[in-house]
Amino acid sequence: MTTLVDPHGRPINSLRISLTQRCNFNCFFCHHEGEHGSGDELTVDEVERIVKLAAEQGITKVKLTGGEPLVRKDIVEIVRRISPLVEEVSMTTNASRLKELAGPLKDAGLARVNVSLHTLCPESFEEITGNGTESVTTGIEEAVKYGLNPVKLNMVVMKGINNEEIDSLIDYSREVGGVLQLIEFQELEDGVEHYDSYHYDLVPVEEDLEKRSNKVVEREMHLRKIYYLKDGARVEVVRPMHNSKFCAYCTRIRVTSDGKLKSCLMRDDNHVPFVSLMRGGAPEEEIIGAFNEAVSRRAPFWRDE
Ligand code: SAM
Ligand code: SF4
């Protein structure tokens, strides 16, 4: 198997596939994975084909996202088809449908999940997502029960909204046997107003976590740090904004829900279409060519001045 390396020396081994832009929640801050597409969606066959081809180019991990991946009626079939092709398939979800789907997804080959949980307070949860917490906490429990391990809880930290709740989320994640992932609020082009109001600096949070840890591990992906707290909790921090190290260690390429390869969450101007090639009956080499073209367009978004 080949290892793809982009023009900035970064190996590419993971594929983040957005399966839909549809969602049953309405989080006010949602960046929609940087998509403003047509609403068109890939079929199961097309998802399988792009994963197979990506795996042949060296991709070993696939993350399914959206929108909300669990609103797709064929989600279990998608996981069943692609899980034999790569080492790991995982999913980022709001968990609202995990109660009924955690078991079937595990059987289909899903390895683990990230569940978005920004607050434990029912009123704040409603304000943030437009929905209730119950289906989400039940979904988390089901994911743990079926061994979608580790269950990571994604908390986007927002000033004045939930920054006071980091410790309660740490306690909750430890109690359910999960890992808390603190995510920096990200600015996308139409979210500037939100950014100024809600961005919360995670640097002091990391300094505090370091003091409370007996071990800190740096992941290959984005050089994200995982803090092993003395009380048994595990906290990973995702801090991309203005962080050149984060981009220097980015090993990911993206697929949009309408069938384009996307080189970076933050960029919308250098996509490479591939599903139009598939639908037009293009030969395999042309689709592989599109994949390689997308890799060649990758460039770190945040760099040292
Ligand atoms: N619906 C799924 C969910 O909420 O987990 C998957 C899609 S969601 C767009 C993927 C991840 O992006 C979630 O963890 C979500 O919390 C995070 N996210 C959304 N908007 C964000 C923003 N403005 N800044 C940082 N993270 C964000
Ligand atoms: Fe966006 Fe996920 Fe919230 Fe849906 S659940 S609005 S996709 S962050």
Side-chain angles (χ1 to χ4, degrees), residues 20-33 65-69 92-96 116 118 128-129 131 156:
T20 180
Q21 288 182 46
R22 292 177 288 131
C23 185
N24 54 342
F25 280 19
N26 188 22
C27 304
F28 75 88
F29 61 88
C30 182
H31 57 32
H32 306 279
E33 303 279 344
T65 182
E68 174 48 45
T92 301
T93 171
N94 64 29
S96 58
S116 293
H118 314 293
I128 293 172
T129 69
N131 281 269
V156 178

Side-chain angles (χ1 to χ4, degrees), residues 221-233:
M221 175 69 159
H222 298 145
L223 288 194
R224 300 171 181 194
K225 285 189 174 152
I226 306 177
Y227 297 87
Y228 290 77
L229 269 55
K230 291 170 193 156
D231 66 9

